[in-house]
Amino acid sequence: MRVSILMYYLRGDFLILLVVLLVCGLKCSHGAAFLTPPRQPAGLSSEAIVDLARNRFGEKLLKDRVVVITGAAGGIGRQLCQVVIHELGGTVVALDRNVTGLELLRQEYNSCDNNLRLDTIPTCHEDLSSVASSAQRIKEKYPKIDVLINNAGMAYSADRPPGLSAHGHDLAFTVNYLSHFLLTEALLPCLGSDGRIVFMTSTYHWKVSGSELMVADEEEESKSKQKDNTNIMNGPMAYQGVPENQSPKHVERSYGNTKLAQIWQARTLCSKGVSAVCACPTWVGTGIGGEGSREMLERLAFPVDGAGITSAINAMLRTDEELKDVLNGECIVANSRILEWLPTALLTNRFFQKWRDGWTDACGLLLLLGQRFTHESFIVQKSSPESYNQPLAMQALHDWSTREVSKYIE
């Protein structure tokens, strides 16, 4: 028994060594292909997507149904627009800060005579007032929505360095989490009885423990604000815009914190009877990591028009019965089994906490290099223990978020 445990922990060192060898192989001189990546998995066929929609929504598929998609001008969001409109006959309300991208999307569907089923709303997720305005427009035009896909997101990079939201708080936390919390709460009354909310999250939530998402209760927060202090912490550490209020590893943990926060929101909604599903697309060839990494991701990661959207489609179209372990609160929808082979126990073991950041990054690199070897079109995968075993912290974050966005929701 002790030998098997030792081998389990040694496996992490072996995997890191494997990463080094793989990376060195990819950079062999003279352009020689030391390691030739296998063919990319195809993802779900049009026929499979239609069958999923028929099983959940009936013969009409998504006809006469409304799907709201954030981050719709490019990447995963743009591809989902095509699936919903072209393949399933639904109506899309497309939100994005990229006005030019939305116009190109509109032109594409105008040329296909589908413009009546595409509604574009420019939305800046770094500005909660903009998100609230878009939510109000949606409610006025669409009394009932069937699916909300919270897809817009960002990660700090050379192209988009750490910054502040329009309200002076952490940019990534606002864009990835709080803006979608606002949008979800505002549109919740419009969600149909068989409606669903999809959160595009990430296995990178394993990087964080939730400690930087902790918030004081309303009474303690009120007392703090009454003190003569110009440097008051409002909300969790991950939300802070003032450096002295941030974690020393604020930037490198920002993405993981926002993704864990999204999972907490989804699980709070599930506890209230809402069908809220978290999905991880794994590594996809998009520009979320900046233009500098796009070429590498397009070479190694899943293509956005193939396996890169399988998790999102499954999260949107699978039945509640098929997603029962996700809706029960301990799993997410995934599309690669490699994470199940990695030493994730090290990430949550208290003796290894000081190496958690590095271990997660190593696992993330292994996922990038190995995801296509272990791809499956539909996987329900366990999320981190902190994503479901901290109900009080989860509820406290939800209550604080509700107060924080209440001034923007009519």
Side-chain angles (χ1 to χ4, degrees):
M1 179 67 177
R2 289 182 179 178
V3 172
S4 63
I5 293 174
L6 178 61
M7 290 303 295
Y8 179 83
Y9 283 107
L10 285 176
R11 184 172 59 172
D13 294 326
F14 171 75
L15 290 174
I16 291 177
L17 177 61
L18 180 61
V19 170
V20 174
L21 292 173
L22 288 172
V23 172
C24 290
L26 286 171
K27 294 187 175 181
C28 267
S29 60
H30 308 298
F34 176 84
L35 175 68
T36 302
R39 180 178 297 178
Q40 286 281 11
L44 294 166
S45 66
S46 295
E47 293 78 10
I49 293 172
V50 168
D51 285 344
L52 289 174
R54 184 180 292 115
N55 191 35
R56 174 163 164 74
F57 294 109
E59 291 298 325
K60 293 178 68 176
L61 306 180
L62 289 180
K63 184 180 180 182
D64 302 324
R65 292 181 180 269
V66 177
V67 179
V68 179
I69 304 174
T70 70
I76 291 173
R78 186 183 184 89
Q79 202 64 35
L80 289 174
C81 290
Q82 180 176 335
V83 169
V84 172
I85 294 175
H86 279 318
E87 300 183 33
L88 302 179
T91 297
V92 168
V93 182
L95 277 59
D96 204 292
R97 72 185 185 114
N98 185 348
V99 177
T100 302
L102 288 177
E103 182 56 33
L104 291 173
L105 193 66
R106 179 185 291 278
Q107 291 174 12
E108 177 184 337
Y109 288 104
N110 280 345
S111 65
C112 298
D113 296 324
N114 288 314
N115 57 301
L116 295 179
R117 291 192 283 117
L118 174 68
D119 192 358
T120 59
I121 304 178
T123 307
C124 295
H125 282 267
E126 59 264 41
D127 183 352
L128 297 181
S129 298
S130 174
V131 177
S133 176
S134 297
Q136 188 59 33
R137 285 181 59 181
I138 294 170
K139 289 195 293 185
E140 290 172 356
K141 190 170 181 178
Y142 304 98
K144 176 178 176 288
I145 64 171
D146 298 278
V147 182
L148 167 61
I149 303 179
N150 290 320
N151 166 69
M154 60 161 290
Y156 290 134
S157 65
D159 296 342
R160 204 169 188 190
L164 301 178
S165 70
H167 311 286
H169 298 287
D170 183 70
L171 181 62
F173 192 89
T174 303
V175 171
N176 295 359
Y177 168 68
L178 198 59
S179 68
H180 287 111
F181 185 95
L182 189 160
L183 185 67
T184 300
E185 290 296 305
L187 296 182
L188 207 51
C190 303
L191 194 68
S193 57
D194 60 350
R196 176 169 293 162
I197 301 170
V198 175
F199 293 87
M200 295 308 297
T201 184
S202 171
T203 50
Y204 245 85
H205 75 274
W206 279 87
K207 185 165 189 168
V208 297
S209 65
S211 61
E212 292 166 33
L213 299 178
M214 302 297 178
V215 295
D217 61 30
E218 190 171 8
E219 183 178 349
E220 290 178 4
E221 185 181 302
S222 178
K223 289 179 181 178
S224 177
K225 289 180 179 179
Q226 291 173 8
K227 294 180 181 179
D228 184 17
N229 185 356
T230 58
N231 188 27
I232 297 172
M233 278 188 62
N234 168 33
M237 188 179 291
Y239 182 53
Q240 303 309 306
V242 180
E244 51 264 39
N245 285 344
Q246 297 173 347
S247 157
K249 296 187 176 182
H250 175 82
V251 174
E252 62 189 85
R253 291 176 179 170
S254 63
Y255 189 73
N257 277 321
T258 64
K259 294 306 168 180
L260 180 59
Q262 282 186 313
I263 295 174
W264 282 8
Q265 182 188 4
R267 289 180 178 162
T268 303
L269 289 169
C270 286
S271 70
K272 299 178 180 180
V274 178
S275 182
V277 178
C278 292
C280 173
T282 59
W283 292 95
V284 183
T286 69
I288 189 171
E291 291 303 314
S293 63
R294 184 188 290 272
E295 183 179 350
M296 180 194 71
L297 289 178
E298 288 179 346
R299 180 185 177 192
L300 294 176
F302 288 148
V304 73
D305 59 349
I309 60 168
T310 56
S311 296
I313 292 172
N314 282 315
M316 175 173 62
L317 298 180
R318 294 280 176 176
T319 65
D320 284 358
E321 177 61 27
E322 291 173 299
L323 296 172
K324 61 182 179 181
D325 290 332
V326 179
L327 297 172
N328 288 343
E330 295 187 9
C331 296
I332 61 176
V333 178
N335 59 11
S336 173
R337 292 217 177 265
I338 193 168
L339 190 71
E340 298 169 10
W341 302 353
L342 297 178
T344 51
L346 289 178
L347 302 179
T348 55
N349 187 299
R350 63 189 182 93
F351 296 109
F352 291 90
Q353 281 302 293
K354 64 180 179 179
W355 296 298
R356 183 167 185 163
D357 297 274
W359 275 113
T360 308
D361 291 337
C363 289
L365 182 55
L366 277 166
L367 181 60
L368 172 62
L369 295 174
Q371 63 185 27
R372 69 175 72 183
F373 294 95
T374 61
H375 172 266
E376 293 181 23
S377 60
F378 176 52
I379 300 171
V380 172
Q381 199 165 72
K382 200 85 164 181
S383 53
S384 73
E386 293 96 341
S387 70
Y388 55 80
N389 67 3
Q390 302 189 67
L392 295 180
M394 196 182 305
Q395 187 61 51
L397 180 65
H398 182 274
D399 293 344
W400 169 82
S401 302
T402 301
R403 297 194 299 271
E404 189 70 4
V405 305
S406 62
K407 66 190 85 156
Y408 302 99
I409 300 178
E410 295 183 10

